[in-house]
Amino acid sequence: MGRRLLLLLLAMAAARAPTAQAWGKEGHYMVCKVAEGFLTSEAAAAVKELLPGWAGGDLAETCSWADTQRFRYRWSSPLHFADTPGDCQFNYARDCHNTEGEKDMCVVGAINNYTAALKDSSSPYDPTESLMFLAHFVGDVHQPLHCGHAKDLGGNTIVVHWYTRKSNLHHVWDVNIIETAMKDFYNNDVNTMIEAIKRNITEEWSNEEKQWETCQIRAKTCADKYAEESAALACKAYEGVEQESTLEDDYFFSALPVVEKRIAQGGVRLAAILNRIFGNSRVQIS
Ligand SMILES: *[C@@H]1O[C@H](CO)[C@@H](O)[C@H](O)[C@H]1NC(C)=O
Ligand SMILES: *[C@@H]1O[C@H](CO)[C@@H](O)[C@H](O)[C@H]1NC(C)=O
């Protein structure tokens, strides 16, 4: 094929790439950085042991790995989300499947899958990959548009303008809100934003934070509950948004606190899941 055509195809692939992603790199990095602060020393040590060499001993460095595996592991693509018919509710039996109708193939099924795999030392799955998938999917299930409406692919087909730039509703929630916040409030420094979120967890949300992870059934995770929350938040995210809508300050200022809280919840809950897997109170699954 001609060089021009090849370049054009590459450019098109690059332009499409964001729609295929989850929380952008920053979102996943922040979720995992928050989680690191809540790990018990046993869990932190076990996680470190499982990390690949290229992570440099830092879980957060691996939290976007799953997005890079979508083509290598085609089956993993539907595991990043759980779209609904648009009734603001997530129903596992109804909504957790891939397009072929195969059950459990959604983000909630994946979180349960990799949690169980990490707990079970006889699991055939590669534990390093299980950890990296788990850390990524706990982030994804907290992004409201990952439990968006199936008919618009979780907002991917709703073209909008983010201030003056062309985007889509899904990408706004994955990337644009975080990017704008970093630029406007955090000196373009992801660590400054993480510190602000962590401060809110210990001050602003210290009381409710204890309710974020009250999952008593230890053999399973509370991932279906997180998806229900996201499905409800997604309905608010769609409100007033149409094809070609321009979203700017009004939308940004109502969405940003939601994004920050979802990152906080994702981090706290990922730590709780890892602590249950690797902590002292290790529970056998029968
Ligand atoms: C569970 O994990 C295995 C290994 O990565 C994968 O092949 C399978 O599709 C996963 N299933 C779900 C529901 O996540
Ligand atoms: C901190 O909490 C306040 C009140 O809920 C919220 O408005 C603000 O956006 C939060 N900031 C961060 C960084 O989480």
Side-chain angles (χ1 to χ4, degrees):
M1 118 179 58
R3 191 175 154 74
R4 299 265 310 259
L5 179 58
L6 179 66
L7 285 177
L8 179 67
L9 287 176
L10 285 174
M12 283 168 63
R16 281 187 56 86
T19 67
Q21 302 244 328
W23 284 119
K25 248 184 141 66
E26 258 73 33
H28 281 289
Y29 185 82
M30 289 193 274
V31 166
C32 285
K33 274 289 174 197
V34 169
E36 286 175 13
F38 288 87
L39 292 177
T40 61
S41 51
E42 290 89 354
V47 164
K48 211 161 183 175
E49 191 83 352
L50 286 179
L51 290 174
W54 53 263
D58 185 7
L59 173 67
E61 291 296 332
T62 71
C63 290
S64 292
W65 170 84
D67 275 332
T68 68
Q69 303 301 307
R70 287 183 153 200
F71 296 100
R72 182 169 155 229
Y73 294 146
R74 288 213 165 261
W75 47 263
S76 72
S77 228
L79 302 182
H80 292 253
F81 59 89
D83 288 342
T84 74
D87 58 356
C88 314
Q89 282 166 26
F90 168 76
N91 176 320
Y92 192 92
R94 181 191 67 182
D95 302 324
C96 195
H97 53 74
N98 59 16
T99 43
E100 288 81 48
E102 199 183 335
K103 271 180 19 185
D104 304 325
M105 295 300 279
C106 81
V107 66
V108 176
I111 291 170
N112 292 333
N113 185 32
Y114 292 113
T115 300
L118 285 168
K119 277 180 175 166
D120 173 8
S121 53
S122 66
S123 164
Y125 304 148
D126 178 316
T128 296
E129 293 196 350
S130 294
L131 173 66
M132 295 191 293
F133 273 131
L134 177 63
H136 183 87
F137 294 141
V138 173
D140 276 348
V141 77
H142 284 84
Q143 204 278 54
L145 272 291
H146 279 244
C147 301
H149 303 168
K151 67 175 188 305
D152 53 45
L153 308 181
N156 271 301
T157 65
I158 302 182
V159 174
V160 298
H161 299 268
W162 181 250
Y163 296 87
T164 54
R165 268 163 57 204
K166 195 165 180 173
S167 187
N168 68 63
L169 187 61
H170 190 93
H171 192 66
V172 163
W173 282 80
D174 270 354
V175 173
N176 296 135
I177 295 166
I178 292 173
E179 260 179 16
T180 301
M182 294 224 314
K183 184 161 69 64
D184 288 2
F185 305 128
Y186 301 111
N187 245 330
N188 258 329
D189 177 16
V190 70
N191 292 309
T192 312
M193 184 161 176
I194 293 166
E195 287 314 312
I197 292 173
K198 281 164 88 169
R199 211 173 314 121
N200 255 7
I201 296 174
T202 49
E203 292 168 13
E204 191 72 24
W205 302 318
S206 62
N207 287 325
E208 57 174 294
E209 187 257 308
K210 294 172 186 63
Q211 308 301 315
W212 286 354
E213 183 63 23
T214 49
C215 190
Q216 296 308 320
I217 316 162
R218 297 210 158 186
K220 267 180 113 193
T221 69
C222 301
D224 54 332
K225 201 179 97 190
Y226 316 151
E228 279 166 30
E229 295 166 354
S230 274
L233 290 169
C235 273
K236 290 203 191 118
Y238 280 103
E239 257 170 41
V241 179
E242 293 162 17
Q243 284 295 344
E244 301 290 341
S245 282
T246 295
L247 308 179
E248 35 197 8
D249 280 358
D250 283 351
Y251 196 90
F252 173 59
F253 285 110
S254 68
L256 179 59
V258 178
V259 166
E260 288 170 330
K261 195 173 204 172
R262 292 308 272 168
I263 289 170
Q265 290 177 317
V268 165
R269 287 160 166 176
L270 173 59
I273 294 170
L274 293 173
N275 288 342
R276 280 202 299 273
I277 296 172
F278 299 118
N280 280 331
S281 53
R282 188 162 175 166
V283 173
Q284 296 290 113
I285 294 195
S286 45

